Amino acid sequence: MHYSDPYVQSFELNGKVLQSVSLNPAVLRSMDCVVVLTDHSIFDYAMVAADSSLILDTRNALKNFPGPNLVGI
C-alpha cells in the first residue's frame, strides 16, 4: 500500500509507518487501484487519468478526464 500527500509525509497504520511517495507514471502503473480522497491542486490529474488502470475518485477531482478506468462516487 502506498499513498501520496504533499501535506502528510508519513503516518502510522496498524503499527506500520507509511511514507508518502511522489506520483509518477511508473508508480501509477504499478497500482491495482488509485483512490482519490482529497482534491489537492498540486497533483497532475491528467497523468493520474492516463497512467492508472483503475481510479476511484471520491472528490470528483478527475471530472475533466472521463474514461473507462474512472469510477466516481
Side-chain angles (χ1 to χ4, degrees), residues 54-63 67 69-73:
L54 178 62
I55 307 162
L56 177 59
D57 183 6
T58 69
R59 304 303 296 173
N60 204 26
L62 286 102
K63 63 182 172 265
N69 61 335
L70 178 62
V71 177
I73 294 181

Side-chain angles (χ1 to χ4, degrees), residues 21-68:
V21 299
S22 296
L23 289 186
N24 61 60
V27 167
L28 291 167
R29 285 192 296 270
S30 75
M31 300 295 138
D32 292 325
C33 181
V34 172
V35 180
V36 178
L37 298 173
T38 305
D39 184 7
H40 288 316
S41 60
I42 194 168
F43 290 124
D44 179 351
Y45 288 112
M47 178 184 64
V48 172
D51 293 305
S52 301
S53 60
L54 178 62
I55 307 162
L56 177 59
D57 183 6
T58 69
R59 304 303 296 173
N60 204 26
L62 286 102
K63 63 182 172 265
N64 295 325
F65 305 99

Side-chain angles (χ1 to χ4, degrees), residues 1 3 8-14 16-20:
M1 176 181 358
Y3 81 97
V8 180
Q9 293 303 309
S10 66
F11 71 94
E12 185 175 334
L13 178 65
N14 296 327
K16 182 177 179 182
V17 176
L18 298 171
Q19 299 288 330
S20 179

